[in-house]
Amino acid sequence: MEDNAKNKPLEEKKESTNYNPQEVESRWYQYWIEHNLFHSEPDDVNDRGELKEPFTVVIPPPNVTGVLHMGHVLNETIQDILVRRARLEGKNACWVPGTDHASIATEAKVIKRLKEQGINKSDLTREQFLKHAWDWTDEHGGIILKQLRKLGCSCDWERTAFTMDETRSKAVIKVFCDLYKKGLIYKGLRMVNWDPERQTALSDEEVIYHEEHSKFYYLRYKVAEAGVTNPATGADYAVVATTRPETIFGDIAVCINPKEEKNQWLRGKHVIVPGVGREIPIIEDRYVEIGFGTGCLKVTPAHDVNDYALGQKYDLKTIDIFTADAHLNMDTVEEELQANVRKYHGMERFECRKQIVEDLQAMGLVEKVEDYDNKVGYSERTNVPIEPRLSLQWFLKMQHFADIALPPVMNDEIVFYPAKYKNTYKNWLENIKDWCISRQLWWGHRIPAYYDRALLEQTGLEDYPTDKIIVSETAPEGDYVQDEGALDTWFSSWLWPISLFDGIDKPGNKEISYYYPTSDLVTGPDIIFFWVARMIMAGYEYTGKMPFKHVYFTGIVRDKLGRKMSKSLGNSPDPLDLIERYGADGVRMGILLSAPAGNDILYDDSLCEQGRNFCNKIWNCFRMLKGLQRADVDAPMTDREAVTWFTLCLCKAEKEVDDLMKKYRLSEALMAVYKLFTDEFSGWYLEMIKPAYGSPIAQKTYDCSMLFFERMLRLLHPFMPFITEELYHSLREREDGDTIMREDTMEWDSEALLAQDKDGAFQQEIEHLKQVVAGVRNIRAQHNISPREEMTLLSPAPLSELVNKLTHSKVEVGGERPAMVATFIVGTDEYAVPLNQFIDVEAERKKLEADLAHQQGFLRGVEAKLNNEKFMAHAKAEVIDMERKKQHDAHERIAAIEARLKALNG
RNA sequence: GGGCGUUUAGCUCAGCUGGUUUAGAGCAUCUGCCCUACAAGCAGAGGGUCCGCGGUUCGAAUCCGUGAACGCCCACCA
């Protein structure tokens, strides 16, 4: 993988001059913790005695049993950048960490582990099971938070919370009771998404639909009335097409569209469910789409949402033929039909599908089987096909919440980055459905609803009168039974920004008043409905305010082929391993480099490599500067020019980074710093001020350079916290406890500094100079002239001494042109370098002619505009002036090229 | 079936309300270099019909229309 081909073999290398991140990183993280630098308290004041502005971020709590993956690296790095930058700006930054109990995922893991120990969940009481779950949480919980430290995350660890700790649980229960009191929570028998693996209801958002290649089975339903046949075919049966033949045991009717001509003969008749023998009526409803399938729809109210609706409309009974784990339950089928169906009892649903089709085929009741693509819903967590199932669940009415949560996003009180997610958000809220909040799980917040034991035994759960249910934060006196269900995990997550500051239980307390609304939320767009939207709802409902001001949606981290990272593909690198190899700073830079908000990242190790290389570059710049001998002498003119120029570069870059950060264009901000450091500082500035071998540098120049360095470290610190802290302390002696993280109080007025070169004339001069240097270097490269060999540069005008220094040449103004020269043009000036060798006249001429053609083409374009009356009449004056300048410059360049060509020919 | 988004160099992307020397960056590629900070480096070079078509305009990568390809979200066609 490593391309060492052109690298020097290791053994030949001099002593290593590479930056070693591992030692540095662990040392500084420990220092930060020891000095409590991440901790925040309300009403903190700065050195000037002013109250600091709060800047709050709450972490999207990772699953308590989770381990760090690349998605976390991206997400947490972005949060850390925002938080660290806020600290440098003098804000009181508070990043609150924590974990999520993730009820369904964690319960699954616990069950799996118990199974490995030979224990079945069903053998345990609720209390026993919860004991195991808590053990697991204590054991594995928080591993991920430790891993975040390796990444450099500056969370306020003293505030670490858990969605099921005491404060958070209290908030959840309180909110449930409150919403129940407000009439927004109700209990009802509804068709829900049932996960047969975990045996719990799921919300609509937890179902993921996949396109699937399946079969369309055409089944024959014999007409019960004797002698009635299809006039078109003579058949004495109706044909019903279905993708789920195993549900025919629950068929209650066959529905046709009253307008569909070809099925008119079935009106008012009855048919026999094939293989089952149940006689069911033909009903009519316009819901059935004309022209689709056979126009005959089997109605199975217990196992399909639409059929359920039809069942309600026509008052049909329901026969639920599945057990909770999606095996066939024939006990619900009528006694007189048992002989036909008993053999299917206890079969798994897909096995039964095969079997029933086989059996019906044997009976000649299958007309045909076609290939068919349809969508099947899968459980987000267990990845098992969900089963629509009628069950008693708790729901939250959502219209009210949609009404309060939509406007603030649409009018940008809460700003989404990127803004396109506003549409997604709007769409969901405008088609909101009630939220199924109960789960048939034990690991989670138990629903605070109580049933009178005596009454319950009398009525059973389904018929228990709703008005007799007691919803209360504490168990009522007397003989009551608590609801067995737990709440959807998101029913606690949606309170997170409030409950972290105990704002539900103690509204208006000091913490919530200070830290809330939080500043930025960083999360993936995949949980915009699950989490973001619902936090906004809870925020307005319980504080009257938005929960956060900005939402930054990250992309998905993919491999470089664009595939999602997954364990099975083995394309997901272990972040800790990457940190080991490239350093946390390197990994942070790598993951951020190609990550504009909302864009997927095609991750490749080479990105981290670039990050590591950059660290090394910074490290070596520092070594070079620090190693210079200093002397108390006047700085030469070249130093002063270099310092002035770089001051301007730095100020411009600071402004640019500031601007980009305000727009949350983090990768571009980092790139701006990267270019400032590698190109301008290291490539140009250091070469400009580097003293001759063995000579010292002027103290003044040295001090300025160190100042530049420190300012660049500050710019870079949010992105690369470790190396910047290390070098901050290496620049000069610092007091114990000092840190780069403190507010920037350096005397540095970038506006005033930039004003010194308001029209940019000086910067232009240096840019011109850089091009001249490049021109000379180019000639050296083309003619194989060693950088050590001194040359003469013939210039039309005097040039700064910097040119001599950077090109190792003597500049002569004007002067005679010898026969053998190489030339180049910068702007409209022609420069020449006399050569001690013959030049390839043909090659030179060809190049010049190509350039000439290009310039002439350019000129034609410009002149076409200037000769166009309409252009002259419509275009703005500045534009016309610009075109005139272009014309003038092009003429000059053409003249120079022609003169040179003439000299070459003559 | 609706909605949204994307399409610019080999790759990943900038290019804001049309005009800034006939399109920029980083990476990758090629050539030449171990010169006393850095070969995890330095210097230089090459590379684009701005998805197609039509329109608006003096002027379009940029605005409008249309077609295509890809991606995402939502939706109960069995």
Side-chain angles (χ1 to χ4, degrees), chain A residues 232-303:
Chain A
T233 64
D236 62 344
Y237 50 81
V239 178
V240 173
T242 179
T243 53
R244 300 206 59 194
E246 71 278 15
T247 62
I248 58 172
F249 304 106
D251 283 2
I252 291 300
V254 165
C255 191
I256 58 171
N257 190 309
K259 293 258 164 66
E260 179 133 12
E261 294 291 331
K262 68 176 183 191
N263 287 326
Q264 290 296 315
W265 64 283
L266 285 167
R267 291 183 87 159
K269 302 292 184 294
H270 292 76
V271 290
I272 312 286
V273 181
V276 179
R278 182 182 301 125
E279 184 176 322
I280 57 175
I282 300 286
I283 61 170
E284 296 168 46
D285 195 278
R286 312 238 318 254
Y287 164 72
V288 177
E289 191 180 320
I290 295 176
F292 184 84
T294 61
C296 297
L297 170 73
K298 73 187 206 63
V299 181
T300 320
H303 300 290

Side-chain angles (χ1 to χ4, degrees), chain A residues 660-766:
Chain A
L660 290 168
M661 290 300 294
K662 281 197 180 104
K663 294 175 181 155
Y664 291 81
R665 301 173 73 145
L666 310 198
S667 56
E668 284 173 65
L670 174 56
M671 185 49 72
V673 187
Y674 174 78
K675 281 199 265 188
L676 175 73
F677 205 105
T678 39
D679 297 349
E680 311 299 6
F681 187 73
S682 162
W684 288 103
Y685 175 77
L686 287 182
E687 294 303 321
M688 288 174 180
I689 62 152
K690 192 190 271 182
Y693 184 59
S695 314
I697 189 171
Q699 183 68 39
K700 184 89 192 294
T701 309
Y702 177 86
D703 292 343
C704 286
S705 305
M706 282 301 186
L707 175 72
F708 294 155
F709 210 100
E710 185 162 343
R711 290 208 68 80
M712 287 192 294
L713 289 180
R714 300 186 66 85
L715 266 186
L716 200 53
H717 174 258
F719 303 96
M720 305 176 116
F722 293 107
I723 190 172
T724 49
E725 182 77 291
E726 166 76 5
L727 293 181
Y728 173 83
H729 291 265
S730 306
L731 287 178
R732 56 185 162 87
E733 277 299 306
R734 308 277 180 182
E735 281 171 32
D736 185 47
D738 193 3
T739 171
I740 191 171
M741 285 189 278
R742 74 194 192 333
E743 185 184 356
D744 181 2
T745 52
M746 242 183 256
E747 253 183 57
W748 181 269
D749 185 345
S750 56
E751 289 299 327
L753 290 167
L754 279 171
Q756 291 176 355
D757 186 40
K758 213 168 187 171
D759 56 359
F762 183 70
Q763 287 168 83
Q764 257 176 43
E765 199 183 314
I766 300 292

